[in-house]
Amino acid sequence: MVEPKRYTPHLLYQRRKREHLREQWRNLKLVVDWTVWLYLLVPGMLYFIGYYVSLWTKALPAWASGGISFPLLTGIIELIILTGGVLLFIEEADVLFLKSRRVWMRTLMMRGLVRVTVLQLGKMILITAVVAPLFVRVYEMSLLQIVLTCFWLGTVASLQVIAIHTIKVRYTGWRRWLSLASLVIAMGWMTVRTSAWMLGDMYTWKIMLSIAAVLLLLITMIQMRLRMKGTFEGDVREDLRSRLRLTALMLSQAVSKPKSPQTRTIIFRKPRKLFRKRSIPNRTAEIAFKAFFRNSETLKLYLQLGGLSIAAVALPPFPVNVIVCGLLVIMLTVMLYRAWDGLATSEYVQLVTYDSAALHEAGSIMARMLLLPLVAVMGYVMGVFWLDWISGFLTAACTVALGYGSVSVAGLIRQTRS
């Protein structure tokens, strides 16, 4: 007779981890069109590989060769570290059985903490591989120093993520936010200052000493976390939040969050005039411009597209950045005219009898008001990253002229088709 397999904390942890991965995979399959993503990922990966190879074989861009210091690079990596989290796979029903079994609970927590350290180390390995051209060609590191830097970043990331999780399960309310803010500032400052101290002739020995110190703190933090009492409700709450993070992100793109009614807008609270000449096109464009920024959804989309556009023209080398900038100007022009169409066909505008020429002129004015400041910033950032800060003003003027021409041509085409 075959003896039944004994159920252990290790098997419980493995089962819950597999269930979590299957649940995340099912959620992705429900909302992601893999055919569309294939067309997006393949060109994106090819472009990234080509750009990455150019960092090894060609001259480094200005922002990489002298514009970024090692502490600044560490600070950027610090922001990526703060996106991590801890998942212990503790559920609400465990209060009936596992809470009274210290060995089971301790095993689940230990496995979860080990899992997060492995994940953080893997994330730092990937980041180190991405920035390896800077380590070798800018900071002149050897292979041993790069490996030690990767391990140091992995231990620092594990320490910070576990420390942040400890505060989240321990405190609520204003104490939680105050403790989190203090911890993030202190650890960020420690990471940046340590990186500045390590860089130099004795880098290898300094980083080995830093790794030993952070490892000691990490082991101490894990022991403290395992011995903490009275955090079961906090552990369940944070685990549930971590498991549902991806689901909440996907639902946020499909279901709008209910908003509380606002009696006053955030911007343009006072009815100040934007144009001295109070013609019908100017007044209509002014109304559309204010309505665009008073709507939180369109304002959020405008800021997101603006940030992505600035990054898209700053990172690629010449002449890719110029081509990308031109395409983005055309894309933003089309997007802003579509935003105007939403107002032009609204019930508010239909109450007033407009001349078609005046209405088209108002749309062009609103599109220029929204587009020209954004393309000016895009052109300046492109010039700074491509040439220098003085040349940025010239590239900004060129992009403003391009944006003005794009809006005028698009407006003429729209007027002839209507």
Side-chain angles (χ1 to χ4, degrees), residues 59-109:
L60 291 174
W63 64 268
S65 58
I68 183 169
S69 61
F70 190 63
L72 177 59
L73 180 62
T74 310
I76 297 174
I77 296 176
E78 171 70 20
L79 297 178
I80 302 175
I81 291 174
L82 296 177
T83 60
V86 178
L87 188 58
L88 302 179
F89 298 104
I90 296 177
E91 301 178 356
E92 299 90 333
D94 293 340
V95 70
L96 301 175
F97 174 73
L98 295 186
K99 191 175 180 181
S100 60
R101 270 50 173 197
R102 295 285 300 172
V103 176
W104 285 66
M105 291 295 295
R106 188 181 180 91
T107 303
L108 284 178
M109 295 178 64

Side-chain angles (χ1 to χ4, degrees), residues 116-154:
V116 74
T117 57
V118 174
L119 290 178
Q120 292 300 316
L121 182 59
K123 184 167 68 174
M124 291 303 111
I125 290 174
L126 180 61
I127 294 175
T128 304
V130 171
V131 300
L134 301 182
F135 287 157
V136 175
R137 303 185 64 185
V138 177
Y139 310 119
E140 298 179 351
M141 292 185 182
S142 62
L143 179 59
L144 175 61
Q145 292 175 341
I146 294 176
V147 173
L148 291 175
T149 302
C150 176
F151 192 70
W152 176 69
L153 291 174

Side-chain angles (χ1 to χ4, degrees), residues 26 31 114 170 178 244 247 270 313 351 389:
R26 285 196 299 266
V31 298
V114 171
R170 189 67 177 177
L178 180 61
L244 298 179
T247 305
K270 297 182 180 180
V313 300
L351 294 174
W389 68 273

Side-chain angles (χ1 to χ4, degrees), residues 35-283:
T35 304
V36 176
W37 273 99
L38 183 64
Y39 284 105
L40 295 176
L41 288 177
V42 172
M45 288 299 298
L46 292 176
Y47 173 77
F48 174 76
I49 292 173
Y51 185 69
Y52 184 74
V53 172
S54 67
L55 292 179
W56 285 103
T57 57
K58 299 180 181 179
L60 291 174
W63 64 268
S65 58
I68 183 169
S69 61
F70 190 63
L72 177 59
L73 180 62
T74 310
I76 297 174
I77 296 176
E78 171 70 20
L79 297 178
I80 302 175
I81 291 174
L82 296 177
T83 60
V86 178
L87 188 58
L88 302 179
F89 298 104
I90 296 177
E91 301 178 356
E92 299 90 333
D94 293 340
V95 70
L96 301 175
F97 174 73
L98 295 186
K99 191 175 180 181
S100 60
R101 270 50 173 197
R102 295 285 300 172
V103 176
W104 285 66
M105 291 295 295
R106 188 181 180 91
T107 303
L108 284 178
M109 295 178 64
M110 188 65 192
R111 296 280 297 178
L113 296 176
V114 171
R115 173 181 175 271
V116 74
T117 57
V118 174
L119 290 178
Q120 292 300 316
L121 182 59
K123 184 167 68 174
M124 291 303 111
I125 290 174
L126 180 61
I127 294 175
T128 304
V130 171
V131 300
L134 301 182
F135 287 157
V136 175
R137 303 185 64 185
V138 177
Y139 310 119
E140 298 179 351
M141 292 185 182
S142 62
L143 179 59
L144 175 61
Q145 292 175 341
I146 294 176
V147 173
L148 291 175
T149 302
C150 176
F151 192 70
W152 176 69
L153 291 174
T155 52
V156 169
S158 302
L159 175 64
Q160 293 192 22
V161 169
I162 295 175
I164 291 173
H165 181 262
T166 302
I167 290 179
K168 287 181 178 179
V169 301
R170 189 67 177 177
Y171 300 104
T172 57
W174 65 268
R175 292 184 179 86
R176 170 178 175 170
W177 295 111
L178 180 61
S179 303
L180 283 176
S182 304
L183 179 66
V184 169
I185 294 174
M187 288 197 166
W189 179 84
M190 181 195 71
T191 304
V192 174
R193 289 294 299 171
T194 305
S195 63
W197 170 74
M198 291 188 306
L199 195 63
D201 297 333
M202 301 292 292
Y203 181 80
T204 303
W205 295 105
K206 288 180 179 179
I207 196 172
M208 291 177 66
L209 180 62
S210 301
I211 290 173
V214 175
L215 272 178
L216 182 61
L217 290 175
L218 178 60
I219 295 172
T220 304
M221 179 60 65
I222 292 176
Q223 292 295 327
M224 290 175 56
R225 182 66 187 89
L226 294 176
R227 294 174 182 174
M228 287 178 63
K229 298 181 179 180
T231 60
F232 179 80
E233 290 77 9
D235 290 330
V236 172
R237 181 184 65 247
E238 294 303 320
D239 261 37
L240 185 61
R241 184 176 298 172
S242 299
R243 292 199 302 268
L244 298 179
R245 184 179 300 170
L246 180 60
T247 305
L249 178 63
M250 293 184 295
L251 288 177
S252 65
Q253 306 302 318
V255 180
S256 58
K257 182 185 294 185
K259 299 178 181 179
S260 58
Q262 294 182 353
T263 57
R264 301 184 65 184
T265 59
I266 300 177
I267 57 177
F268 295 121
R269 293 185 174 183
K270 297 182 180 180
R272 295 176 179 175
K273 300 177 182 179
L274 301 180
F275 295 99
R276 290 185 178 180
K277 185 179 179 181
R278 306 306 293 171
S279 62
I280 292 179
N282 286 353
R283 284 184 291 176

